[in-house]
Amino acid sequence: MAIKVTGLREIVKALDAAHKKTRGALGAAIYQEGFAIMRDAKAYCPVDTGRLRASGYVAPPESLEDPKVAVVFGTGYALAVHERVEVFHPNGQPLFLKRAVDEHSTGYAERIAKRTEDNIKSGKTVAAKGGT
């Protein structure tokens, strides 16, 4: 990223713009990682009617100052299906979200850094739900 400035006001303005662009690109990278985790969690998710798998979603960051995303299965029984390790599922498995998160923990920082860099280059950003 190149920043051209000629005076103090321009420096402050350019740094502020670069900060916003970098934060948006980082937020987008974390959001992208959330979708990768959800993709894998859905692959491991037990299926009876398909409602549980279909309820999975990734919520965008609330703030770009401390970007975090939520990877969620939105049925009232998601937690019970996830946690009951003693239940056999003909397709899928318990702890489906935990498995996906665990698998994505290796190399997480490197992937986020690479995605952030790629997002800066391509201009991809994400807006925070809370507007900050």
Side-chain angles (χ1 to χ4, degrees), residues 2 4 12 21 35 45 49 51-52 57 61-63 83 88 90-91 95 102 108 111 114 125 128 130:
K4 181 179 178 180
V12 171
K21 184 176 183 179
F35 280 106
C45 180
T49 66
R51 184 170 169 242
L52 176 58
Y57 67 94
E62 294 280 337
S63 164
E83 296 296 313
F88 171 77
N91 50 35
L95 302 177
D102 288 349
Y108 174 80
R111 281 192 311 280
K114 175 77 170 101
T125 63

XYZ file of all heavy atoms in Angstrom, residues 2 4 12 21 35 45 49 51-52 57 61-63 83 88 90-91 95 102 108 111 114 125 128 130:
206
model
N 0.659 2.166 -0.882
C 1.447 3.390 -0.969
C 0.628 4.561 -0.442
O -0.560 4.666 -0.719
C 1.847 3.654 -2.412
N 0.890 8.751 -0.233
C 1.606 9.952 -0.628
C 1.030 11.111 0.167
O -0.175 11.342 0.165
C 1.442 10.210 -2.127
C 2.191 11.428 -2.600
C 2.023 11.626 -4.095
C 2.755 12.878 -4.510
N 2.622 13.124 -5.948
N -2.124 12.924 8.616
C -3.162 12.431 9.523
C -4.315 11.823 8.727
O -4.806 10.743 9.057
C -3.654 13.559 10.454
C -4.870 13.129 11.244
C -2.532 13.990 11.387
N -8.933 1.203 6.127
C -8.833 0.200 5.067
C -8.263 -1.105 5.624
O -8.774 -2.191 5.333
C -7.937 0.729 3.948
C -7.831 -0.167 2.756
C -7.000 0.489 1.661
C -6.936 -0.366 0.433
N -6.164 0.259 -0.643
N -16.570 -18.289 7.579
C -17.293 -19.058 6.555
C -16.602 -20.388 6.269
O -17.267 -21.398 6.030
C -17.455 -18.250 5.266
C -18.578 -17.258 5.339
C -18.310 -15.902 5.479
C -19.896 -17.670 5.283
C -19.344 -14.984 5.562
C -20.944 -16.758 5.359
C -20.662 -15.410 5.499
N -21.895 -31.944 10.491
C -23.161 -31.816 11.211
C -24.088 -33.000 10.924
O -24.299 -33.348 9.759
C -23.844 -30.516 10.783
S -25.412 -30.196 11.577
N -33.514 -33.989 9.413
C -34.401 -33.262 8.500
C -33.642 -32.242 7.656
O -34.160 -31.753 6.669
C -35.494 -32.508 9.287
O -34.872 -31.480 10.056
C -36.276 -33.453 10.175
N -32.726 -29.340 8.957
C -32.972 -28.027 9.562
C -31.761 -27.519 10.343
O -31.416 -26.339 10.257
C -34.192 -28.099 10.476
C -34.575 -26.778 11.072
C -35.933 -26.857 11.787
N -36.114 -25.642 12.539
C -36.240 -25.578 13.851
N -36.242 -26.679 14.574
N -36.385 -24.433 14.456
N -31.109 -28.395 11.108
C -29.945 -27.976 11.894
C -28.841 -27.473 10.977
O -28.322 -26.373 11.167
C -29.437 -29.137 12.758
C -28.159 -28.880 13.560
C -28.307 -27.684 14.492
C -27.772 -30.125 14.342
N -25.005 -20.171 10.340
C -24.680 -18.889 9.718
C -23.475 -18.255 10.401
O -23.087 -18.645 11.493
C -25.875 -17.925 9.736
C -26.280 -17.451 11.119
C -25.795 -16.253 11.642
C -27.158 -18.199 11.897
C -26.167 -15.824 12.907
C -27.534 -17.773 13.163
C -27.038 -16.585 13.658
O -27.403 -16.162 14.906
N -18.587 -8.984 11.960
C -18.080 -8.355 13.185
C -18.975 -7.214 13.653
O -19.555 -6.493 12.844
C -16.706 -7.819 12.794
C -16.457 -8.217 11.403
C -17.665 -8.860 10.846
N -19.082 -7.082 14.970
C -19.818 -5.958 15.564
C -18.995 -4.671 15.444
O -19.535 -3.589 15.321
C -20.089 -6.226 17.045
C -21.023 -7.385 17.310
C -22.480 -7.010 17.136
O -22.822 -5.823 17.228
O -23.285 -7.924 16.905
N -17.679 -4.813 15.540
C -16.769 -3.673 15.534
C -15.508 -4.044 14.764
O -15.074 -5.197 14.812
C -16.394 -3.311 16.980
O -15.251 -2.479 17.014
N -23.471 -31.517 21.724
C -22.812 -31.964 22.949
C -23.032 -33.424 23.319
O -22.248 -33.983 24.081
C -23.263 -31.093 24.124
C -22.841 -29.631 23.981
C -21.330 -29.458 23.987
O -20.664 -30.044 24.855
O -20.813 -28.722 23.112
N -25.363 -41.897 18.622
C -24.852 -42.286 17.305
C -25.665 -41.585 16.220
O -26.900 -41.532 16.288
C -24.941 -43.801 17.107
C -24.632 -44.212 15.695
C -23.321 -44.239 15.242
C -25.648 -44.537 14.818
C -23.026 -44.595 13.935
C -25.372 -44.897 13.504
C -24.057 -44.925 13.066
N -26.163 -41.691 12.033
C -25.804 -42.426 10.826
C -25.037 -41.559 9.825
O -24.253 -42.067 9.029
C -27.139 -42.889 10.249
C -28.192 -42.167 10.985
C -27.603 -41.633 12.246
N -25.278 -40.255 9.880
C -24.484 -39.331 9.061
C -24.191 -38.104 9.917
O -25.062 -37.550 10.558
C -25.205 -38.960 7.762
C -26.629 -38.519 8.003
O -26.923 -37.885 9.013
N -27.523 -38.859 7.111
N -20.186 -32.830 18.327
C -19.040 -31.902 18.402
C -18.604 -31.416 17.014
O -17.433 -31.145 16.761
C -17.872 -32.547 19.151
C -18.178 -33.013 20.572
C -16.973 -33.708 21.183
C -18.651 -31.877 21.462
N -11.382 -26.615 15.873
C -10.084 -27.214 16.203
C -9.220 -27.373 14.958
O -8.024 -27.076 14.978
C -10.267 -28.573 16.887
C -10.796 -28.469 18.299
O -10.840 -27.339 18.854
O -11.198 -29.517 18.855
N -4.036 -20.571 11.812
C -5.026 -19.491 11.817
C -4.381 -18.124 11.579
O -4.807 -17.374 10.695
C -5.790 -19.503 13.146
C -6.750 -18.354 13.326
C -8.007 -18.381 12.736
C -6.394 -17.232 14.071
C -8.894 -17.339 12.884
C -7.282 -16.177 14.225
C -8.524 -16.235 13.633
O -9.388 -15.188 13.779
N -3.141 -17.660 8.045
C -4.237 -17.492 7.071
C -4.866 -16.109 7.177
O -5.170 -15.476 6.159
C -5.309 -18.571 7.261
C -4.959 -19.913 6.678
C -6.152 -20.857 6.622
N -6.903 -20.951 7.859
C -6.556 -21.688 8.911
N -5.452 -22.413 8.874
N -7.314 -21.729 10.000
N -2.504 -13.578 5.614
C -2.519 -13.683 4.148
C -3.824 -13.149 3.573
O -3.822 -12.393 2.592
C -2.320 -15.156 3.746
C -2.420 -15.427 2.264
C -1.181 -15.003 1.522
C -1.173 -15.476 0.086
N -1.533 -14.475 -0.867
N -13.312 -5.293 1.905
C -13.479 -4.920 3.299
C -14.835 -5.420 3.769
O -15.631 -5.917 2.972
C -13.409 -3.390 3.514
O -14.496 -2.777 2.808
C -12.086 -2.805 3.045
N -18.754 -3.180 9.814
C -19.170 -3.726 11.103
C -20.652 -3.500 11.297
O -21.200 -2.485 10.864
C -18.385 -3.084 12.234
N -22.101 -2.854 14.057
C -22.259 -1.739 14.975
C -21.798 -0.420 14.400
O -21.931 0.624 15.028
